[in-house]
Amino acid sequence: MLLITVVIPTYNREKYLPTAIESVLNQSLKEWKLLIVDDASTDQTRAIVETYLDDPRIEYMRLPTNSGIGKTMAAALERIDTPYFVSLDSDDWFDEKTLEILLDEMERQPATTNVVFSNTVFWKETGDTRELSEIMRPPIYENKYYYLEAPMVWPRFYRTQAVRDVGGFEYDDPMEGRFSHDKYMLLKLIGTGTIHWVDANLYHYLIHESNNSHTKNWPEWTKARKYILTKILKLWGDEYEPGFVHTPEGWIYVNELIPKEKSS
């Protein structure tokens, strides 16, 4: 029985996609499925993926219209039939032992552990060169509310049933799931279970001009984050109102949690 599905959601990433796929093929653990979900790319994505489809472990699905990452991951979830899955952005790549280590760690955890993650190695692309930027060991908190503004974590090795139990990947925010879908899911899972950190450098994140999180997209991120963080606080017991602060650069963050008055 296969235990892991790797999901690569992609949209117009022909330059980077082969590196992501090869990093899965080069895993020390060879028993996995790879599901590549194409969000209606207009470049050579289909042709690139087709060169890998002789491998029976690899499946390709293409959405009929560009729908955004939230809807792409929701479509992927419908296809997943393994106990665990992990997402890999199509411009990033795995360390060769990523799946082996994450699976071992998850199987050591109690059933209440919803996500396993690790350190992230950030690379910065300038022209045709890539330079190491930093290695992030994410902060670990006992208080779930600190995760509202904590840095995002990679890779996210999910317990599939836990994701389904919280309603899967949603796109009910004003930007319809195009921004902050990963934080949305992580916070939902933190509300129903625990997350577990592995002290290993397992995920390589590439910083480049067309990242979805680029500053040019911050107005859209702000709309999505305001909705998502407000909703998460309601899901977590509806004890607080978020006190939002807008930065001059266009970002939004929760500066304080304002206790709600309890009805008598």
Side-chain angles (χ1 to χ4, degrees), residues 69-234:
I69 184 67
K71 292 181 181 180
T72 301
M73 289 302 297
L77 184 61
E78 293 181 3
R79 295 279 191 103
I80 294 172
D81 59 2
T82 54
Y84 313 115
F85 73 97
V86 58
S87 57
L88 171 61
D89 290 345
S90 56
D91 46 1
D92 299 335
W93 64 96
F94 285 154
D95 177 82
E96 64 181 11
K97 291 191 175 181
T98 295
L99 297 184
E100 177 185 346
I101 292 174
L102 292 177
L103 176 61
D104 180 67
E105 288 287 339
M106 179 64 95
E107 299 230 293
R108 294 171 184 264
Q109 301 304 308
T112 52
T113 299
N114 292 337
V115 183
V116 174
F117 59 99
S118 74
N119 305 332
T120 304
V121 183
F122 288 92
W123 298 84
K124 186 172 184 179
E125 180 181 78
T126 304
D128 294 328
T129 64
R130 296 177 181 179
E131 294 183 353
L132 178 64
S133 178
E134 66 172 315
I135 299 176
M136 183 185 77
R137 302 176 76 213
I140 309 300
Y141 301 112
E142 294 293 331
N143 186 333
K144 65 185 178 184
Y145 290 99
Y146 285 109
Y147 281 101
L148 293 171
E149 290 300 337
M152 198 53 205
V153 299
W154 294 271
R156 295 174 296 280
F157 190 87
Y158 297 107
R159 193 180 297 274
T160 306
Q161 190 57 50
V163 173
R164 292 195 168 115
D165 287 345
V166 298
F169 293 92
E170 298 184 80
Y171 36 88
D172 53 336
D173 65 273
M175 302 311 300
E176 299 184 336
R178 291 183 179 273
F179 301 91
S180 208
H181 83 288
D182 46 3
K183 191 63 169 280
Y184 197 173
M185 175 53 68
L186 184 69
L187 292 175
K188 289 203 298 179
L189 293 173
I190 287 173
T192 63
T194 59
I195 61 177
H196 176 72
W197 168 64
V198 182
D199 190 6
N201 303 335
L202 302 181
Y203 194 93
H204 296 266
Y205 182 104
L206 185 63
I207 302 167
H208 56 86
E209 283 298 314
S210 56
N211 283 129
N212 182 264
S213 57
H214 194 277
T215 53
K216 65 186 178 184
N217 294 326
W218 280 8
E220 288 79 12
W221 276 88
T222 292
K223 294 175 185 177
R225 279 172 51 80
K226 187 173 183 179
Y227 174 91
I228 291 168
L229 297 179
T230 300
K231 180 178 177 180
I232 287 297
L233 287 173
K234 290 184 180 297

